[in-house]
Amino acid sequence: MEQQVRSASEMVKMLSADPAALNKLKTDPIPVLKEAAARAEDVTTPEYFKDRLVYRIAVIVLGSLALIAAIGSIVLVFAGKTTPEVLVALGSAGVGALVGLFAPSPVGGGAKGG
């Protein structure tokens, strides 16, 4: 998912791109640190977070998987057979993945710009 951009990593990128910035950091670190923090805040949302088609396809596939597993289990029970564990595992994985898609991220609060 989305990885948070840290001001320290932006500062490393900035210092490797501009060797004169290292001298600025040694003499007066406050403006360099503020610029690195501003760069970390200005990072745009990746394009795949804005692509709703991918999420729709994922929801359709995972929902179908969960429904097929549930219906298959019911049919097998009515036929007098035991439900295979792999069918239960597939259904549980489908439902769990759907919950994971719709639950917000506890760290970042979910995808931005969607």
Side-chain angles (χ1 to χ4, degrees):
M1 294 290 296
E2 181 178 2
Q3 183 179 2
Q4 280 190 328
V5 177
R6 300 176 55 186
S7 58
S9 61
E10 285 298 316
M11 187 168 53
V12 170
K13 288 180 191 176
M14 187 172 49
L15 292 176
S16 63
D18 183 16
L22 184 59
N23 292 330
K24 291 179 192 174
L25 182 65
K26 290 178 183 177
T27 57
D28 191 15
I30 301 298
V32 177
L33 294 174
K34 286 183 179 179
E35 182 182 349
R39 281 185 170 188
E41 290 176 2
D42 290 342
V43 174
T44 59
T45 304
E47 285 299 316
Y48 60 86
F49 280 124
K50 299 175 186 175
D51 189 9
R52 294 177 185 231
L53 180 65
V54 172
Y55 287 106
R56 288 180 186 162
I57 291 171
V59 167
I60 289 169
V61 169
L62 292 170
S64 299
L65 176 67
L67 283 175
I68 290 169
I71 292 170
S73 296
I74 292 170
V75 168
L76 286 173
V77 167
F78 279 124
K81 299 181 180 178
T82 59
T83 304
E85 291 181 20
V86 69
L87 194 59
V88 174
L90 284 173
S92 299
V95 171
L98 278 173
V99 169
L101 277 176
F102 292 123
S105 173
V107 176
K112 297 177 184 175

